[in-house]
Amino acid sequence: MAAPSGMPSPASVRAFLDANVLVSASLSTTGPAYVLLHLVQNGTILGFTSTEVVREAEGAIDRVEPEAARTFQRLLGQMHLRIRPSPRRVPDEAPDLAHPKAMHVVAAAIR
């Protein structure tokens, strides 16, 4: 099915999902983060994240609501989310874009 003129074709839209999105979707099946993951799951958009972001989300879920850890693992298993290795180096243009603790997210998203 072709996209309407001027609209991106399905799966040509790419989104980098940070820990906030992953945690929020694990805690609520009615919020926008869960809808975004559903769009990744059904192939409407291409979803990306990094191994470090996944670890960060796991830690946050364990601290906030350990029961949601199963939901998180189920979501990761069901999605067509591309989990990339965390970059070892931050691109030169990135230092001015985020707080130093968030640089791994910026580096992975730029990659």
Side-chain angles (χ1 to χ4, degrees):
M1 176 177 177
S5 179
M7 297 294 294
S9 62
S12 69
V13 175
R14 298 167 49 132
F16 185 85
L17 308 182
D18 68 2
N20 182 51
V21 172
L22 298 175
V23 170
S24 295
S26 298
L27 297 175
S28 172
T29 59
T30 61
Y34 190 83
V35 171
L36 181 59
L37 291 187
H38 180 71
L39 294 172
V40 170
Q41 183 180 8
N42 71 20
T44 302
I45 63 173
L46 295 173
F48 295 87
T49 196
S50 71
T51 53
E52 192 167 348
V53 166
V54 170
R55 280 194 301 272
E56 184 180 333
E58 288 172 330
I61 289 168
D62 285 343
R63 284 190 306 277
V64 174
E65 188 160 341
E67 297 81 33
R70 276 189 282 238
T71 301
F72 177 71
Q73 291 302 323
R74 181 180 52 76
L75 287 172
L76 282 181
Q78 291 175 345
M79 282 188 294
H80 303 291
L81 183 64
R82 290 166 175 88
I83 302 174
R84 300 173 169 171
S86 297
R88 296 182 189 273
R89 184 178 161 285
V90 175
D92 293 336
E93 64 273 16
D96 297 328
L97 298 177
H99 188 276
K101 286 185 177 182
M103 290 312 300
H104 69 93
V105 176
V106 172
I110 288 173
R111 191 165 158 231

